Short mmCIF file of all heavy atoms in Angstrom, two decimals:
data_model
loop_
_atom_site.label_atom_id
_atom_site.label_comp_id
_atom_site.label_asym_id
_atom_site.label_seq_id
_atom_site.Cartn_x
_atom_site.Cartn_y
_atom_site.Cartn_z
N ILE A 325 -12.01 -2.92 -40.23
CA ILE A 325 -11.65 -3.19 -41.63
C ILE A 325 -11.83 -4.66 -41.82
O ILE A 325 -11.30 -5.51 -41.05
CB ILE A 325 -10.10 -2.80 -41.86
CG1 ILE A 325 -10.04 -1.23 -41.69
CG2 ILE A 325 -9.67 -3.25 -43.22
CD1 ILE A 325 -8.71 -0.67 -41.92
N ALA A 326 -12.62 -5.02 -42.80
CA ALA A 326 -12.94 -6.45 -43.04
C ALA A 326 -11.63 -7.25 -43.20
O ALA A 326 -10.72 -6.87 -43.91
CB ALA A 326 -13.79 -6.55 -44.32
N GLY A 327 -11.61 -8.35 -42.38
CA GLY A 327 -10.45 -9.24 -42.50
C GLY A 327 -9.25 -8.80 -41.64
O GLY A 327 -8.23 -9.50 -41.61
N LEU A 328 -9.36 -7.69 -40.98
CA LEU A 328 -8.22 -7.21 -40.11
C LEU A 328 -8.65 -7.31 -38.65
O LEU A 328 -9.62 -6.70 -38.21
CB LEU A 328 -7.88 -5.79 -40.48
CG LEU A 328 -6.59 -5.21 -39.86
CD1 LEU A 328 -5.36 -6.01 -40.35
CD2 LEU A 328 -6.38 -3.77 -40.20
N GLU A 329 -7.90 -8.14 -37.88
CA GLU A 329 -8.30 -8.32 -36.55
C GLU A 329 -7.78 -7.11 -35.71
O GLU A 329 -6.57 -6.83 -35.70
CB GLU A 329 -7.53 -9.66 -36.01
CG GLU A 329 -8.25 -10.34 -34.88
CD GLU A 329 -8.10 -9.61 -33.62
OE1 GLU A 329 -6.94 -9.29 -33.28
OE2 GLU A 329 -9.16 -9.28 -32.91
N PRO A 330 -8.68 -6.44 -35.04
CA PRO A 330 -8.31 -5.11 -34.36
C PRO A 330 -7.16 -5.19 -33.40
O PRO A 330 -6.23 -4.36 -33.46
CB PRO A 330 -9.61 -4.70 -33.69
CG PRO A 330 -10.71 -5.32 -34.53
CD PRO A 330 -10.13 -6.65 -34.96
N ILE A 331 -7.18 -6.18 -32.50
CA ILE A 331 -6.12 -6.18 -31.46
C ILE A 331 -4.72 -6.45 -32.11
O ILE A 331 -3.75 -5.82 -31.76
CB ILE A 331 -6.40 -7.28 -30.43
CG1 ILE A 331 -7.88 -7.12 -29.83
CG2 ILE A 331 -5.36 -7.31 -29.33
CD1 ILE A 331 -8.05 -6.15 -28.78
N GLU A 332 -4.78 -7.35 -33.15
CA GLU A 332 -3.41 -7.61 -33.85
C GLU A 332 -3.01 -6.35 -34.59
O GLU A 332 -1.85 -6.09 -34.66
CB GLU A 332 -3.60 -8.78 -34.80
CG GLU A 332 -3.64 -10.09 -34.08
CD GLU A 332 -4.06 -11.26 -34.98
OE1 GLU A 332 -3.93 -11.11 -36.25
OE2 GLU A 332 -4.40 -12.33 -34.46
N ALA A 333 -3.97 -5.64 -35.21
CA ALA A 333 -3.62 -4.45 -35.97
C ALA A 333 -3.06 -3.39 -35.05
O ALA A 333 -2.01 -2.72 -35.41
CB ALA A 333 -4.89 -3.92 -36.70
N VAL A 334 -3.67 -3.25 -33.86
CA VAL A 334 -3.20 -2.23 -32.89
C VAL A 334 -1.70 -2.56 -32.56
O VAL A 334 -0.86 -1.68 -32.46
CB VAL A 334 -4.10 -2.18 -31.62
CG1 VAL A 334 -3.48 -1.36 -30.53
CG2 VAL A 334 -5.45 -1.60 -31.98
N ALA A 335 -1.46 -3.90 -32.26
CA ALA A 335 -0.10 -4.29 -31.95
C ALA A 335 0.86 -4.04 -33.04
O ALA A 335 2.01 -3.60 -32.82
CB ALA A 335 -0.13 -5.76 -31.51
N ALA A 336 0.44 -4.35 -34.27
CA ALA A 336 1.38 -4.22 -35.44
C ALA A 336 1.68 -2.72 -35.68
O ALA A 336 2.79 -2.39 -35.98
CB ALA A 336 0.72 -4.78 -36.70
N LEU A 337 0.72 -1.87 -35.46
CA LEU A 337 0.93 -0.44 -35.63
C LEU A 337 1.89 0.05 -34.56
O LEU A 337 2.75 0.88 -34.76
CB LEU A 337 -0.40 0.35 -35.55
CG LEU A 337 -1.36 0.21 -36.73
CD1 LEU A 337 -2.71 0.81 -36.45
CD2 LEU A 337 -0.76 0.87 -37.97
N ARG A 338 1.69 -0.48 -33.30
CA ARG A 338 2.59 -0.08 -32.20
C ARG A 338 4.01 -0.34 -32.56
O ARG A 338 4.90 0.44 -32.23
CB ARG A 338 2.14 -0.83 -30.94
CG ARG A 338 2.90 -0.35 -29.70
CD ARG A 338 2.58 -1.16 -28.46
NE ARG A 338 1.15 -1.12 -28.13
CZ ARG A 338 0.34 -2.18 -28.00
NH1 ARG A 338 0.82 -3.37 -28.20
NH2 ARG A 338 -0.92 -2.03 -27.71
N GLU A 339 4.26 -1.50 -33.21
CA GLU A 339 5.63 -1.86 -33.65
C GLU A 339 6.24 -0.79 -34.59
O GLU A 339 7.43 -0.61 -34.60
CB GLU A 339 5.60 -3.17 -34.43
CG GLU A 339 5.26 -4.41 -33.61
CD GLU A 339 6.39 -4.74 -32.65
OE1 GLU A 339 7.49 -4.93 -33.16
OE2 GLU A 339 6.16 -4.70 -31.44
N GLN A 340 5.36 -0.10 -35.24
CA GLN A 340 5.82 0.99 -36.19
C GLN A 340 5.77 2.35 -35.52
O GLN A 340 5.85 3.35 -36.25
CB GLN A 340 4.96 0.96 -37.46
CG GLN A 340 4.90 -0.35 -38.18
CD GLN A 340 3.92 -0.30 -39.32
OE1 GLN A 340 3.80 0.67 -40.07
NE2 GLN A 340 3.10 -1.32 -39.46
N GLY A 341 5.52 2.42 -34.24
CA GLY A 341 5.55 3.69 -33.60
C GLY A 341 4.23 4.45 -33.75
O GLY A 341 4.20 5.70 -33.56
N ILE A 342 3.18 3.72 -34.10
CA ILE A 342 1.85 4.37 -34.25
C ILE A 342 0.90 3.85 -33.17
O ILE A 342 0.68 2.63 -33.10
CB ILE A 342 1.22 4.11 -35.68
CG1 ILE A 342 2.21 4.63 -36.75
CG2 ILE A 342 -0.13 4.79 -35.78
CD1 ILE A 342 1.85 4.25 -38.15
N VAL A 343 0.38 4.78 -32.34
CA VAL A 343 -0.42 4.29 -31.20
C VAL A 343 -1.89 4.66 -31.46
O VAL A 343 -2.23 5.85 -31.52
CB VAL A 343 0.10 5.02 -29.86
CG1 VAL A 343 -0.81 4.55 -28.73
CG2 VAL A 343 1.54 4.66 -29.61
N ILE A 344 -2.68 3.59 -31.54
CA ILE A 344 -4.13 3.79 -31.53
C ILE A 344 -4.63 2.74 -30.44
O ILE A 344 -3.81 2.08 -29.83
CB ILE A 344 -4.81 3.54 -32.86
CG1 ILE A 344 -4.68 2.04 -33.36
CG2 ILE A 344 -4.32 4.50 -33.93
CD1 ILE A 344 -5.64 1.67 -34.47
N GLY A 345 -5.97 2.61 -30.32
CA GLY A 345 -6.46 1.64 -29.35
C GLY A 345 -7.54 0.83 -29.93
O GLY A 345 -7.90 0.93 -31.18
N ALA A 346 -8.09 -0.10 -29.13
CA ALA A 346 -9.26 -0.88 -29.52
C ALA A 346 -10.26 -0.77 -28.41
O ALA A 346 -9.90 -0.61 -27.22
CB ALA A 346 -8.83 -2.33 -29.75
N SER A 347 -11.52 -0.90 -28.77
CA SER A 347 -12.55 -0.95 -27.76
C SER A 347 -13.40 -2.19 -27.87
O SER A 347 -13.86 -2.55 -28.95
CB SER A 347 -13.45 0.34 -27.89
OG SER A 347 -14.33 0.42 -26.87
#
Side-chain angles (χ1 to χ4, degrees):
I325 295 180
L328 189 63
E329 207 288 309
I331 308 277
E332 284 171 18
V334 169
L337 288 170
R338 187 184 300 125
E339 291 291 302
Q340 302 175 43
I342 301 172
V343 179
I344 66 162
S347 187

